[in-house]
Amino acid sequence: MCGFPTPTDTVTPRQPRGQERAITGNRQTSWAFADAFVAEDDALHWARDRAQEVGLRSVSPGTGAALRLLAATVGAKAVAEIGTGTGVSGIHLLHGMRPDGVLTTVDTEPERQQFARQAFRTAGFASNRARFIPGRALDVLPRLADAGYDLVFCDGDRLEYLDYLAESLRLLRPGGLVCFEGVFSNGRTVDSGPQPTEVLRQRELLRAVRENQELVPSLLPVGDGLLCAVKR
């Protein structure tokens, strides 16, 4: 395990007072409010619909808003994305990046990338704002430039996340960010019962990021868990 409370641990919550109780008393309501806080436009809704049609799970609106914020925070000009999907996360990243920024996005399914191209156009981004590379991430990433990226977003094969981490450390400039989507695994990451290999790998990733002295980590409770770390 990675140091998170197990179901048998006792955690004493801080008791809210007054109006704060009404706001924080219902966790599901709070998460729903966070998802609705940054409104999504027609291009994002279109991309989400395409993802649902092909059986893909998109990042949550709250996760997308966090990615947009993080890209803006580092003034991202070059971002690498593992897992294009139908363009939901890419639109959020592009909204946060500099106006001259370029998103390099990798996916094993070129037909999904065609959906993303259309979604980016609908969102108003010029064609030169995104570079689409079809292929397996671990075949593509070694061809990308050392220290050439401000942010790397990983939403690909969960079994390869530790390998993505190693590649991200090479790709990122000092002060750059790496982010991993879905590290809660629908709550299974902190479940004490027997878990599949994918979940065990997530625990290994969490431990590796937390213990790496080259990284300043944080685990954001948005969507299905967004693990982020700044490269020193």
Side-chain angles (χ1 to χ4, degrees):
M1 299 293 288
C2 296
F4 298 102
T6 66
T8 57
D9 291 334
T10 300
V11 179
T12 302
R14 180 176 65 87
Q15 294 299 316
R17 294 179 296 176
Q19 183 63 25
E20 186 183 7
R21 180 185 297 275
I23 296 173
T24 63
N26 186 318
R27 179 174 297 181
Q28 295 297 329
T29 300
S30 299
W31 284 345
F33 181 70
D35 270 346
F37 183 69
V38 176
E40 295 196 325
D41 57 20
D42 290 340
L44 278 164
H45 289 306
W46 184 89
R48 287 191 182 281
D49 288 343
R50 301 294 81 72
Q52 188 173 14
E53 288 173 5
V54 299
L56 285 179
R57 178 176 178 177
S58 302
V59 299
S60 73
T63 300
L67 292 172
R68 184 183 303 202
L69 172 69
L70 292 170
T73 299
V74 299
K77 183 176 181 179
V79 172
E81 177 186 46
I82 303 169
T84 308
T86 56
V88 175
S89 54
I91 290 176
H92 279 290
L93 288 165
L94 284 165
H95 276 307
M97 295 169 63
R98 288 169 41 171
D100 59 344
V102 176
L103 172 70
T104 298
T105 182
V106 182
D107 201 288
T108 57
E109 302 294 338
E111 60 270 24
R112 297 175 187 171
Q113 293 186 319
Q114 292 304 315
F115 284 133
R117 286 180 190 274
Q118 184 171 345
F120 293 174
R121 285 197 301 269
T122 303
F125 297 111
S127 60
N128 63 357
R129 293 293 310 279
R131 177 171 62 147
F132 294 89
I133 305 179
R136 182 170 172 262
L138 295 180
D139 295 330
V140 174
L141 296 178
R143 307 202 303 263
L144 304 184
D146 292 4
Y149 292 85
D150 305 298
L151 189 153
V152 178
F153 173 56
C154 304
D155 190 16
D157 187 340
R158 303 297 194 261
L159 295 175
E160 297 180 344
Y161 266 16
L162 277 171
D163 298 308
Y164 298 166
L165 174 61
E167 287 294 332
S168 297
L169 290 175
R170 180 184 61 80
L171 293 174
L172 287 171
R173 63 165 174 82
L177 270 166
V178 60
C179 302
F180 294 88
E181 160 65 4
V183 296
F184 288 166
S185 294
N186 294 314
R188 293 177 299 172
T189 302
V190 295
D191 193 322
S192 59
Q195 298 298 335
T197 302
E198 177 183 310
V199 175
L200 300 180
R201 292 287 176 84
Q202 297 284 58
R203 292 174 180 173
E204 292 175 18
L205 172 73
L206 287 160
R207 187 180 301 110
V209 169
R210 186 179 60 190
E211 296 178 357
N212 191 316
Q213 296 302 305
E214 194 178 358
L215 296 173
V216 180
S218 182
L219 181 54
L220 306 184
V222 292
D224 196 26
L226 186 67
L227 176 63
C228 304
V230 176
K231 179 180 177 181
R232 294 183 187 274

